[in-house]
Amino acid sequence: MANEDLTKLKIEKKAMQRSPRAYKRPLFWIALVVLLVVAVVLLRGGLGPRVEIETTTVSQIYPSQGFTLLNASGYVVAQRKAAVASKATGRLEWLGVEEGSRVRAGEVLARLENHDVAAAREQASANLVTAKAGLEQARAELDDATLAFNRLKDLLAGGIVAKADFDAAEARYRRAVAGVAGARSAIRSAEAALKGAEVAVEYTLIRAPFDAVVLTKDADVGDIVTPLGAAANAKAAVVTIADMKSLQVEADVSESNLGKVKEGQPCEIQLDALPDVRFRGVLHTVVPTADRSKATVMVKVRFLNPDRRILPEMSAKVAFLERPVSDTEQRPKTSVSQAAVRSRDGKQVVYLVKGDRVVEKVVTLGERIGDQIEVLSGIRAGDKLALKPLEKLKDGAKIKTAEK
């Protein structure tokens, strides 16, 4: 019974064969169309040829670049700078400034130990008091001697006193006159001694010679300070100061370009430390000597608008201009190379690089600045654009850069 049932279980091979009519079903044709569309997309996109391009970057430039005659580099240098020291030798007892401190002319910056010279000053002051007292005593003696001399002079004329008494009175009077003169000389001597002692004390006080800013602190409390700094471990200067109002840029100009610069010429200064700021300047002087090893001449450019951010020894770039920069030309403008702009259907367009494709962007242009052109809208500074070949590009085109 079981064997009979198994014999009835058969698979018909004809049922497995697909009828030719199956190819005429709608689902088959839909799948075929989808496959063709995908193939076309792949052919035009990922599998299509890429255009090799050169690129440029949208930047911000200043209008002054359009009328710049010459560029030079140099450093900010203080024209008034001093290593402040003392004329006396001693141990530094007090230091009242540090780096960055602003000081006024005559302000005490530091003090050396001065107990010995201070004592000498007090002694000289006491000697002056003694000399002045001696003058008063000599004057009193002179007054008494004068009265006695005049009295005996009258009595001698009347024959009342002897000539010897009169001669003694006259000698006393002359000694009194000489005593007053000597007392006056002693006062002058004491005054000079006191002044010398005060100068010695002043030498121990280190003062600022002009209004300035402290650049470096070269000694500290406890150091031995000596004018020549010859002793072992001795310091010659206590602080180094500079007048920030005297800051100028010292730049080297090639001898071949010297004819393009002159005193009073307007300049624009850019500091590497402040790349987004331009400072107005003027050519202050051309140093009347050349450096034969570099074939250059040094020029000094003065800042017209000093700024507290400007510091000595900063590196700087100087642009020598045809004319002064106006207020509106102080602000940077977004610009791009003129070769990156293409006219298309009456509009100005650029091709913005986005990954491995370009996107067509319509831009609004402004004035020309040298070989650049101002961009008012459409793109921003820092955007990467296709430079060439623009004629082979269109919106969405697949690209590769020349360096790849």
Side-chain angles (χ1 to χ4, degrees), residues 54-62 65 332-342 348-353 361-388 390:
E54 296 181 14
T55 60
T56 186
T57 303
V58 182
S59 59
Q60 284 191 326
I61 66 173
Y62 286 78
Q65 294 181 223
K333 297 183 178 182
T334 302
S335 67
V336 70
S337 173
Q338 298 180 27
V341 182
R342 183 183 181 189
Q348 303 297 320
V349 300
V350 296
Y351 292 99
L352 180 64
V353 176
K361 291 283 187 179
V362 178
V363 294
T364 304
L365 303 179
E367 61 182 2
R368 296 179 183 272
I369 307 174
D371 60 348
Q372 302 276 310
I373 189 166
E374 181 184 6
V375 180
L376 302 177
S377 64
I379 52 177
R380 297 178 299 177
D383 288 344
K384 194 174 183 180
L385 305 180
L387 184 62
K388 60 182 180 180
L390 300 184

Side-chain angles (χ1 to χ4, degrees), residues 142-191:
L142 176 61
D143 292 340
D144 184 61
T146 302
L147 290 176
F149 173 71
N150 292 332
R151 186 183 306 112
L152 290 177
K153 185 178 181 181
D154 294 337
L155 292 175
L156 178 65
I160 300 174
V161 296
K163 183 70 168 55
D165 294 334
F166 172 77
D167 292 341
E170 184 180 15
R172 180 190 171 198
Y173 167 75
R174 291 180 178 178
R175 285 197 302 270
V177 171
V180 170
R184 288 174 178 170
S185 298
I187 290 177
R188 289 195 295 269
S189 177
E191 288 176 343

Side-chain angles (χ1 to χ4, degrees), residues 252-253 255 289-298:
D252 291 330
V253 174
E255 292 180 3
T289 185
D291 186 334
R292 66 169 67 181
S293 62
K294 298 188 293 184
T296 59
V297 175
M298 179 184 292

Side-chain angles (χ1 to χ4, degrees), residues 74 99 106 121 125 136 140 146 172 229 250 290 322 379:
E99 292 88 344
R121 180 184 60 184
S125 178
E136 293 301 321
T146 302
R172 180 190 171 198
E250 295 183 354
E322 292 181 349
I379 52 177

